[in-house]
Amino acid sequence: MKYDLIVIGAGMAGLIAAAKAREQGLKVLVLAQGQGSLTLTSGAIDLYAKSTGLDEFVKNNEEHPYAKVGLEDTLRGLKYFQEISAEMGYPYITQAERLKSFYLPTAFGTFKPTFLAPMTMAKGDLRQNGDILILGFQELRDFSPSLVAANLLQIRQRHGIKGICEEVKLNLNLLKKSVNAFELASLMDDKETRQIILAKIKTAIDGWIGDRDRAKNDAGDSKLRVGIPAVLGTMPSLEIFGEFETELKVDLFEIPTIQPSMGGIRLNTMIINYLKKIGVKVFYASTVTGVGTEGESGSYEGEVAEDRTIMGGVTKNPIIKEVFVESAGGRLTSYKTKYLILATGGVYGGGIESTQEGFREKIVKLPLNSDDKTTNLADESCATGKFKSIDSSTNLDKSKRLVFVSEKSPAYAKVGVKVDSQLRPVSEAGALYANLYVTGRTLAEFDPVIEKSGHGVAIVTGYKAAKEVIALDQKDGEKDGLR
Amino acid sequence: MDCAKKGALDACLKCSICVTQCPVAKATEKFPGPKFMGTELTRFRLDQNTNLDQVVDYCCNCRSCEVACPSGVKISYLNAVYKDKYKEKHGKKLRDRLLGRPELLAKLGSINASLSNSVLKLQPVKKLMEKTLGTAASRAFPSYHNQNFKTWFKKRKKIASEKKVVYFVGCFTNYNDLETGKNVVEVLERNGFEVIVPEQTCCGLPLIGNGEISAAKSKAQKNLEKFMPYVKKGYPVIVSCTSCSLTLKSEYHECFNLEESERFGQNVYDFSEFLRDLAVKKQLDTNFGSLPLKLAYHTPCHLKAQGIGQPSVEIMEMIPNLKIEEIDEGCCGLSGSYGFKKEKAEISMKIGEKLFKGIREAKPDFGTTDCGGCGLQMLHGTGISVLHPAKIINMAYKNNLSKNNTV
């Protein structure tokens, strides 16, 4: 079967690219080994740790994917994601102020800056004044409300934010005495079961409120904010969240848990369902092992274009015509395509392989920025174990805070494929293929861990690559006299 | 490093994605999920046969976990091995021994097919079987025919050709769905192939699913023995049931690692996959007549696991006026013998709930799917008849009155 666009990889970058291209009428297929790692994330979309400084950051880091894509398309890409979420009934929102982050709590009681939060988590911003109550459940593993509350309180006090932060742990009397977030969320999917749980939560909260002297929040009222581990159902929907907020009469916010993380699971389901809705097929268990190109020692049968001058004056670059999937039994299944987007992830996702001899990109065998052997990938100053002490100027007792992990990116974190401003992989001579684009973690020159830019880069580069494919398709269509 | 190679146990990063895809874990609290039962407990079981828990029997071996696994770990097979070890230690149920041997059941059932069919429909009989054997009284058993596919095939006139294929029929087609076998043969012959049906036995998957791996291995060895001479002559092996084809392609080599199983697997084709390959080479007869029907298509789990896309949909989409709506709602819930067991029957129907709803809402003329088991389940859950793609394709051929014009 022939497609207009094949996307390799079902992670955030691949799925967004597929959606955008499909909306323009292209016939799109996604091929993947397994599910994307977006399933494992908190569900919140990180843009950049200090997002208000994004303009400056982009200006000073021209090799960074945000710079390649450009600030305008970066913001458009994020908006695009937001529109999908709204259409699917699981809206993600930003702060009102341009580029301002949310500071959302984690299951440790630390905080994570993030840019787009699902409605179910958005009300958890730590910088807001007002009382917070953290709910926990006896049966739920790996979530300690007392840990969360204690740490959140400490952070808020250090920054002069008003309001108490306490916890309540309740016994749900479930049949199973020990469940993970997915199991509890699955129970919540059942209306009858969750009514019982909701009633118990209401009792617990009402009991806690009692006659406490309550602090006022930013809005000037004493409405309570209640943090609950992210177990309000497995589906990307606000139904359960809305039910709980209405009944409990509080501002509710979910706190992401360790895997299985409902935030990530819902995020994946939401985008996959969107793709189903608009007619994009996603084939899993379909590991792409190679591509077939035109213009390489006559090994390909089919049309041969005479003039391969495509864009930007780059001539004679080969075109990828098909991809090969290693199917069960070992035979290759071939899919033909006009355009190809690589969204196979980094070392974790499988797009970049880490071997004794170095890093490599397995499918197209693209050059990486680590191929230059003079790069010292083992930069000692980044090794963990080096401590950095910070003077604390708060009312805490001159205690020095030790930073366990370096704030500087190790060189190996930035290994990836170098691209031009159209996200096409390049060498000195220019774009290597006329119709191939690279997105997401496979790209060079960014570190999602230190920068806190994982989903952000994935979304905007996926969006941008799709835009480039659409533009190329228009040009090709004009050439063929179809438009 | 080898231990992190795709498929290896150590490639498991405990990410839990498999757990979120397991249809059984979603339908019942009894089953803790593939990560725990498969990779986690295997690490304990490597040295000793400890931590053997009967709850592993709830794994239906649909392989949804494997399809979703980003690291390519063969989680479902780990559970199958576990079932085997458990049964070795704690004994095998008679029911499971029987359900693992569809050929034996069929031979018993076919002695007097109409009698068997009538008796097996009687509620008191089914209730008694539930009490004694443990099969579900709520399920209809597939019917037997007096003449099975192989006897039909032996009796009919041979159509010879230079181009030959060998057909691995599969137990369900052979004993319960003769119609599909006939259509497969006719479609292949229309495309100029001589169909050979070698001596063969059950692919062995029901034995794997019921915890009898060495018995399954023996079946595999026998099939290899019978089929390899043809494979060596270059004849492709055509299979019309996606569970059989997955087993022949994958399990024989990756799990049993039998001699010649790798070469064998490389020469096994799902029926529609084979037709699609012909189409790519422009050797497929595409003179389909109009077939103005609406079909609801379900992708079998074992087809998803093969990583060959949806070849039957691609072929059926060539048929004029045929409307195909894919109902993408995961596992149908039957999983071969799984749904026929009394303690699993309710779970089986719960798993398929969304699929049944989707099919009903699509208001199709027929359901269609590449797996006989899925077909049974779809019928049971919706009351709507199910046709194999081979039947659809043959119907379209027959609707076109012009003869073999290969495009």
Side-chain angles (χ1 to χ4, degrees):
Chain A
M1 179 151 269
K2 181 153 190 199
Y3 293 87
D4 294 322
L5 170 65
I6 287 180
V7 177
I8 308 177
M12 178 66 92
L15 297 181
I16 292 295
K20 177 73 183 161
R22 175 69 190 137
E23 285 175 8
Q24 293 299 126
L26 271 64
K27 189 169 180 198
V28 185
L29 172 69
V30 179
L31 295 170
Q33 173 165 295
Q35 277 197 12
S37 56
L38 77 167
T39 313
L40 307 171
T41 61
S42 67
I45 306 297
D46 295 349
L47 171 61
Y48 177 57
K50 297 178 174 70
S51 53
T52 43
L54 186 69
D55 310 66
E56 193 71 22
F57 178 73
V58 167
K59 231 186 270 165
N60 298 334
N61 289 277
E62 32 176 64
E63 290 305 306
H64 193 280
Y66 288 155
K68 298 279 183 191
V69 167
L71 195 59
E72 221 178 291
D73 272 337
T74 294
L75 298 176
R76 282 209 194 105
L78 294 164
K79 194 103 191 64
Y80 176 67
F81 170 84
Q82 242 186 312
E83 284 161 6
I84 293 177
S85 73
E87 182 165 336
M88 296 307 288
Y90 188 66
Y92 275 65
I93 61 176
T94 59
Q95 294 274 34
E97 193 188 304
R98 181 183 181 269
L99 290 180
K100 185 177 176 186
S101 292
F102 290 98
Y103 274 44
L104 298 183
T106 70
F108 273 128
T110 51
F111 69 91
K112 59 183 261 104
T114 197
F115 184 66
L116 279 161
M119 244 337 223
T120 61
M121 294 182 188
K123 295 177 190 177
D125 194 307
L126 298 176
R127 292 170 300 182
Q128 281 175 31
N129 293 307
D131 295 336
I132 292 179
L133 175 65
I134 304 294
L135 273 183
F137 306 111
Q138 203 70 43
E139 294 92 334
L140 179 63
R141 293 200 294 272
D142 307 317
F143 187 86
S144 164
S146 53
L147 175 67
V148 175
N151 280 335
L152 289 185
L153 182 64
Q154 211 177 77
I155 295 173
R156 280 157 59 94
Q157 278 180 345
R158 198 183 301 138
H159 294 275
I161 298 167
K162 298 183 180 49
I164 56 175
C165 195
E166 292 189 7
E167 49 95 15
V168 161
K169 195 170 194 179
L170 49 148
N171 195 319
L172 293 174
N173 282 319
L174 301 174
L175 280 172
K176 236 178 160 178
K177 292 307 157 198
S178 170
V179 293
N180 63 29
F182 181 68
E183 290 168 311
L184 185 49
S186 299
L187 287 171
M188 294 275 208
D189 282 341
D190 174 60
K191 203 174 173 89
E192 265 177 53
T193 310
R194 75 167 172 266
Q195 294 308 321
I196 299 171
I197 293 176
L198 181 52
K200 292 200 167 98
I201 293 175
K202 188 163 171 70
T203 309
I205 293 176
D206 289 345
W208 178 87
I209 288 177
D211 52 29
R212 276 177 162 72
D213 198 13
R214 302 281 314 288
K216 294 224 191 310
N217 60 18
D218 290 1
D221 61 50
S222 52
K223 193 167 189 193
L224 179 65
R225 280 194 293 158
V226 174
I228 185 174
V231 291
L232 296 178
T234 61
M235 295 307 284
S237 151
L238 292 182
E239 188 189 336
I240 299 175
F241 177 76
E243 243 177 62
F244 274 48
E245 267 205 329
T246 308
E247 178 67 19
L248 300 171
K249 298 190 179 35
V250 297
D251 276 337
L252 202 57
F253 62 93
E254 281 187 312
I255 300 171
T257 64
I258 66 168
Q259 287 93 24
S261 161
M262 294 325 303
I265 290 165
R266 290 182 209 141
L267 176 59
N268 183 55
T269 303
M270 178 184 88
I271 310 180
I272 291 287
N273 284 352
Y274 182 67
L275 289 179
K276 268 190 213 175
K277 192 173 169 190
I278 62 178
V280 175
K281 296 225 173 169
V282 181
F283 291 156
Y284 294 108
S286 299
T287 307
V288 176
T289 50
V291 296
T293 59
E294 165 195 299
E296 273 185 11
S297 37
S299 55
Y300 185 81
E301 64 160 62
E303 301 171 297
V304 179
E306 271 176 42
D307 170 27
R308 291 196 223 107
T309 308
I310 306 285
M311 297 162 62
V314 182
T315 57
K316 293 220 176 79
N317 41 3
I319 297 171
I320 297 181
K321 286 285 203 164
E322 64 185 325
V323 301
F324 301 108
V325 167
E326 189 178 323
S327 305
R331 255 197 339 273
L332 297 179
T333 300
S334 135
Y335 297 90
K336 293 195 171 32
T337 186
K338 274 163 89 179
Y339 314 106
L340 184 65
I341 290 180
L342 202 63
T344 44
V347 173
Y348 179 75
I352 307 266
E353 194 186 14
S354 163
T355 71
Q356 300 271 337
E357 286 77 49
F359 295 95
R360 59 189 194 116
E361 187 279 311
K362 286 187 293 186
I363 298 176
V364 187
K365 322 263 188 293
L366 294 170
L368 303 177
N369 61 348
S370 57
D371 292 345
D372 163 15
K373 301 287 184 220
T374 62
T375 310
N376 180 7
L377 296 176
D379 183 348
E380 280 182 11
S381 70
C382 304
T384 59
K386 291 259 173 188
F387 296 95
K388 184 177 162 188
S389 61
I390 298 176
D391 261 317
S392 130
S393 55
T394 66
N395 50 13
L396 288 176
D397 228 321
K398 279 213 184 133
S399 46
K400 291 196 172 201
R401 279 176 60 237
L402 297 178
V403 176
F404 189 66
V405 176
S406 168
E407 286 174 8
K408 188 176 160 204
S409 290
Y412 60 75
K414 297 194 174 182
V415 168
V417 177
K418 290 183 286 197
V419 294
D420 60 16
S421 60
Q422 284 147 327
L423 298 182
R424 296 179 305 175
V426 288
S427 65
E428 283 96 47
L432 289 163
Y433 294 91
N435 63 344
L436 171 66
Y437 303 85
V438 180
T439 61
R441 192 67 185 98
T442 321
L443 292 167
E445 303 304 333
F446 82 107
D447 181 346
V449 176
I450 298 292
E451 294 162 13
K452 302 201 190 308
S453 58
H455 276 329
V457 169
I459 289 173
V460 310
T461 54
Y463 173 80
K464 173 78 170 186
K467 272 184 79 168
E468 292 296 330
V469 165
I470 291 162
L472 182 56
D473 190 52
Q474 289 274 17
K475 267 212 177 91
D476 286 348
E478 279 159 20
K479 226 176 26 164
D480 298 341
L482 292 173
R483 262 156 266 211
Chain B
M1 290 169 81
D2 264 1
C3 59
K5 210 176 70 169
K6 180 183 163 184
L9 173 61
D10 276 351
C12 170
L13 298 168
K14 309 266 235 93
C15 69
S16 301
I17 282 180
C18 59
V19 180
T20 68
Q21 298 305 301
C22 176
V24 180
K26 189 135 221 293
T28 175
E29 278 175 41
K30 293 196 179 111
F31 188 61
K35 183 184 81 166
F36 182 69
M37 298 310 295
T39 52
E40 284 183 346
L41 286 186
T42 299
R43 287 172 171 144
F44 286 107
R45 294 189 297 259
L46 283 174
D47 278 340
Q48 316 118 43
N49 283 344
T50 55
N51 295 286
L52 299 177
D53 192 318
Q54 196 190 14
V55 84
V56 71
D57 217 43
Y58 282 92
C59 169
C60 64
N61 296 106
C62 68
R63 309 194 33 163
S64 298
C65 48
E66 294 182 2
V67 167
C69 177
S71 308
V73 181
K74 293 192 75 65
I75 310 158
S76 169
Y77 188 64
L78 292 173
N79 283 343
V81 169
Y82 184 175
K83 284 184 193 181
D84 188 54
K85 291 201 167 139
Y86 179 86
K87 290 189 164 150
E88 235 174 66
K89 199 165 183 193
H90 296 272
K92 304 185 201 331
K93 274 191 159 109
L94 174 64
R95 174 198 71 188
D96 296 348
R97 294 228 247 166
L98 288 174
L99 289 176
R101 292 168 172 81
E103 278 173 312
L104 174 62
L105 287 176
K107 279 177 182 136
L108 294 172
S110 308
I111 293 173
N112 186 334
S114 9
L115 181 64
S116 307
N117 295 338
S118 319
V119 167
L120 288 172
K121 282 198 175 81
L122 298 172
Q123 210 39 35
V125 172
K126 297 204 309 187
K127 280 237 143 71
L128 182 65
M129 283 172 74
E130 189 173 284
K131 265 219 173 80
T132 53
L133 272 183
T135 50
S138 55
R139 300 289 317 212
F141 293 104
S143 330
Y144 294 105
H145 308 296
N146 280 314
Q147 181 193 61
N148 64 42
F149 171 81
K150 288 179 196 160
T151 29
W152 169 81
F153 187 78
K154 267 205 188 86
K155 287 194 185 138
R156 83 196 272 276
K157 186 170 170 211
K158 293 279 164 291
I159 295 180
S161 163
E162 294 267 297
K163 304 190 294 183
K164 302 183 209 289
V165 295
V166 281
Y167 182 26
F168 184 90
V169 185
C171 298
F172 184 75
T173 305
N174 192 41
Y175 297 108
N176 307 101
D177 189 14
L178 172 56
E179 183 73 11
T180 294
K182 285 183 180 174
N183 285 303
V184 166
V185 170
E186 285 175 15
V187 168
L188 290 169
E189 285 175 346
R190 179 167 173 132
N191 280 280
F193 288 92
E194 176 184 330
V195 180
I196 300 168
V197 179
E199 206 184 313
Q200 54 197 256
T201 183
C202 173
C203 69
L205 184 61
L207 285 164
I208 297 175
N210 282 290
E212 289 197 64
I213 296 202
S214 42
K217 245 185 179 161
S218 306
K219 296 267 179 222
Q221 254 150 352
K222 177 149 189 223
N223 283 322
L224 285 171
E225 200 189 312
K226 299 295 172 190
F227 276 79
M228 279 316 289
Y230 296 101
V231 169
K232 285 182 176 148
K233 286 190 197 154
Y235 305 165
V237 180
I238 313 299
V239 191
S240 52
C241 168
T242 43
S243 292
C244 297
S245 53
L246 179 62
T247 307
L248 300 180
K249 282 181 179 184
S250 235
E251 248 70 330
Y252 280 20
H253 176 59
E254 288 175 32
C255 305
F256 300 156
N257 199 17
L258 295 167
E259 206 185 305
E260 298 193 303
S261 55
E262 185 171 13
R263 183 170 174 187
F264 178 65
Q266 284 166 357
N267 286 282
V268 171
Y269 293 78
D270 163 73
F271 169 72
S272 298
E273 183 190 7
F274 184 71
L275 295 182
R276 180 178 65 186
D277 278 11
L278 290 178
V280 167
K281 290 185 275 196
K282 306 220 197 291
Q283 290 168 7
L284 179 72
D285 181 342
T286 53
N287 284 293
F288 299 115
S290 165
L291 200 59
L293 294 172
K294 179 170 186 193
L295 303 177
Y297 177 75
H298 162 69
T299 314
C301 294
H302 289 169
L303 174 58
K304 284 185 181 157
Q306 290 186 38
I308 56 175
Q310 295 170 322
S312 61
V313 173
E314 284 186 47
I315 304 295
M316 290 191 292
E317 275 176 351
M318 295 181 199
I319 298 172
N321 300 315
L322 184 64
K323 280 201 175 58
I324 303 160
E325 186 177 325
E326 184 187 352
I327 315 298
D328 187 2
E329 294 289 359
C331 181
C332 73
L334 182 66
S335 302
S337 57
Y338 187 88
F340 289 102
K341 301 177 181 177
K342 75 171 181 213
E343 72 279 10
K344 316 260 180 11
E346 203 182 310
I347 297 170
S348 165
M349 292 308 283
K350 185 147 186 236
I351 291 173
E353 236 169 34
K354 281 194 174 151
L355 173 64
F356 305 150
K357 181 163 184 267
I359 293 172
R360 278 192 297 260
E361 282 174 359
K363 293 197 186 10
D365 296 304
F366 296 101
T368 181
T369 188
D370 320 73
C371 168
C374 297
L376 276 180
Q377 181 80 338
M378 287 158 69
L379 173 64
H380 187 68
T382 65
I384 298 169
S385 295
V386 180
L387 303 176
H388 191 279
K391 166 113 190 170
I392 302 291
I393 293 165
N394 206 16
M395 277 165 76
Y397 276 150
K398 288 180 175 162
N399 276 7
N400 186 315
L401 301 170
S402 65
K403 257 296 201 165
N404 304 8
N405 289 330
T406 319
V407 171

